[in-house]
Amino acid sequence: MKLLEHQGKQLLAQAGVPVPRGRVVTTPEAAQQAAAVLGCRVALKAQVPAGKRGKAGGIGFADTPEDAAGSAARLLGSELAGSHVDAVLVEEAADIAKELYASVLNDPAGKGPLVLFCPAGGMDIEELSARDPESIRRLGVDIRTGLTADAARSLVTGLGLGEHVEDQVTTALLTMYRLYRTVEAELVEVNPLVVTGAGEVVALDSKISLDPGALGRHAELLADLVPARDDTGTELERRGRELGLQYLELDGEVGVLANGAGLTMTTLDAVTHYGGKPANFLEIGGDAYTKATPALRLVLDNPRVRSLVVNFCGAFARTDVMTEGVLAAIEELRPELPIFFSIHGTGEEKAIRLVRERLGVEPYDTMDDAVKAAVAAAAGPVEGKVAG
């Protein structure tokens, strides 16, 4: 779940990171009033779950309340980075002396949190990493001990920031890490973290991504946040997010249903290896197997799909339970395309028997054979039948 900028700033401010004064508005009149209350030059920022808003024209400045109303009128109702602008953040414009970058994120390689700091902020971190990787300081954190003050300070020393700024940035990093742990975030990023002309450190932007699986554990903390509407991706991808499914639409013709992200990726690779093109990433492992019908409907609603491979491999997960869910979905939706099964692992004997009895077909002995058959079927005419 991606938070909008003002939502992330609300969490940062509650945690103790300084942010500019501001107000979220949905009409030009409210923008004018907000600017009058702030009584200074203001920035107006489109609230959409996307980066690089400045380059896309999603950020404006106004010296008067009337100008603020005009800028808000231009932004509200517009499309920005594939999202509809429903709200604008009106906040005091900062007196920027220096821009920094700071973030805490999940590090799959290190299997723990990673803290990043760079004395050059305000630009895309991927671009900066490609252009000047040595400028980004990295610190892997042992989740058992957490981020210490000494470790955080080591990221900011020797950069000519001065002791007063170093103290504030160190505190900001420690606070960001604490927020990352508290809300079980996938990412807490401030870019830019600015030093003002008065020497104060302020979070001028925020990007916070929360683990969807952890939201239920933080309902009280997040209750006063307006839900972030994520308009990014295709219509099917948005439907997948609403269903709590990990779905990614691709440009191929072979639909894929598998359990677990690793097995799903392996299935996609196999489809490509045997000359096909996968139509989607969609894994229904864990409790997602209970959503087999909406998951199958997602796959079938992609008009490019001409065949489907169902690939289950269970250790702790029982293949017979997952197969039961998929069979019920097939019986309800009655897809008119060939479906090819590969089932191995815990409960496979019962799962294979269920496919035989209810669909009258034989699952393939190997994943490779099932994938080859699905690729061949996608290349030929759709016959409207379920295959083994």
Side-chain angles (χ1 to χ4, degrees):
M1 175 183 176
K2 295 179 182 178
L3 298 187
L4 299 175
E5 176 193 2
H6 73 273
Q7 297 168 324
K9 282 181 172 176
Q10 182 176 334
L11 290 181
L12 287 169
Q14 290 171 352
V17 177
V19 302
R21 295 179 301 139
R23 181 182 299 179
V24 181
V25 302
T26 57
T27 66
E29 294 76 17
Q32 181 172 344
Q33 182 182 17
V37 170
L38 290 171
C40 60
R41 186 170 190 256
V42 297
L44 295 98
K45 303 179 176 181
Q47 296 301 284
V48 294
K52 302 180 181 179
R53 289 171 298 166
K55 294 181 180 179
I59 298 177
F61 294 90
D63 293 314
T64 68
E66 292 74 20
D67 289 344
S71 185
R74 176 181 62 83
L75 291 171
L76 289 167
S78 65
E79 293 290 325
L80 189 68
S83 296
H84 187 77
V85 179
D86 294 320
V88 170
L89 173 61
V90 182
E91 67 178 19
E92 58 185 342
D95 174 20
I96 302 173
K98 186 172 181 58
E99 294 183 324
L100 313 170
Y101 173 91
S103 68
V104 185
L105 65 153
N106 292 344
D107 178 23
K111 299 181 180 179
L114 178 67
V115 183
L116 301 180
F117 179 75
C118 180
M123 62 185 73
D124 186 83
I125 192 63
E126 286 81 11
E127 294 177 6
L128 181 61
S129 179
R131 189 177 66 191
D132 187 12
E134 297 303 318
S135 67
I136 303 173
R137 295 187 172 187
R138 298 168 169 83
L139 177 67
V141 179
D142 187 331
I143 198 76
R144 296 167 296 183
T145 56
L147 180 65
T148 66
D150 288 343
R153 194 171 191 91
S154 71
L155 289 169
V156 304
T157 56
L159 297 172
L161 298 177
E163 185 176 356
H164 179 60
V165 172
E166 287 181 3
D167 288 344
Q168 294 179 80
V169 175
T170 298
T171 299
L173 289 173
L174 291 168
T175 305
M176 289 170 63
Y177 179 81
R178 186 167 62 250
L179 176 62
Y180 161 87
R181 293 283 287 128
T182 299
V183 301
E184 297 183 75
E186 297 175 339
L187 169 70
V188 175
E189 178 184 87
V190 176
N191 184 28
L193 180 68
V194 303
V195 182
T196 69
E200 301 305 310
V201 172
V202 178
L204 203 58
D205 197 359
S206 82
K207 184 185 293 183
I208 295 180
S209 239
L210 305 178
D211 180 354
L215 295 179
R217 293 192 288 272
H218 304 288
E220 183 176 347
L221 177 66
L222 303 173
D224 58 344
L225 293 179
V226 178
R229 190 183 75 183
D230 191 346
D231 286 334
T232 57
T234 68
E235 174 60 30
L236 291 177
E237 289 171 344
R238 290 192 288 272
R239 280 173 50 190
R241 284 194 295 270
E242 292 171 0
L243 292 166
L245 294 170
Q246 299 295 321
Y247 175 89
L248 179 63
E249 186 175 347
L250 304 174
D251 61 355
E253 302 81 29
V254 180
V256 174
L257 272 180
N259 66 296
L263 182 62
T264 305
M265 289 300 298
T266 300
T267 309
L268 267 60
D269 288 343
V271 170
T272 303
H273 176 73
Y274 289 114
K277 294 180 69 177
N280 63 272
F281 173 99
L282 176 57
E283 66 99 357
I284 56 171
D287 63 356
Y289 77 88
T290 61
K291 303 173 183 176
T293 298
L296 180 59
R297 185 176 284 113
L298 270 180
V299 175
L300 298 177
D301 282 351
N302 180 344
R304 291 187 298 273
V305 173
R306 296 174 58 81
S307 69
L308 172 65
V309 58
V310 178
N311 188 17
F312 289 155
C313 184
F316 295 107
R318 294 193 60 88
T319 59
D320 53 337
V321 175
M322 293 184 289
T323 300
E324 172 67 38
V326 170
L327 292 176
I330 291 172
E331 290 167 347
E332 177 180 342
L333 300 178
R334 303 180 66 82
E336 295 185 357
L337 52 72
I339 305 176
F340 305 88
F341 290 84
S342 172
I343 305 172
H344 299 88
T346 305
E348 67 176 87
E349 292 183 0
K350 181 179 178 182
I352 291 171
R353 186 172 68 252
L354 286 171
V355 174
R356 288 171 180 158
E357 293 174 352
R358 293 168 64 173
L359 298 183
V361 298
E362 187 75 20
Y364 283 82
D365 291 335
T366 69
M367 175 192 73
D368 294 75
D369 289 340
V371 168
K372 287 178 186 176
V375 169
V382 176
E383 298 179 3
K385 64 179 182 180
V386 174

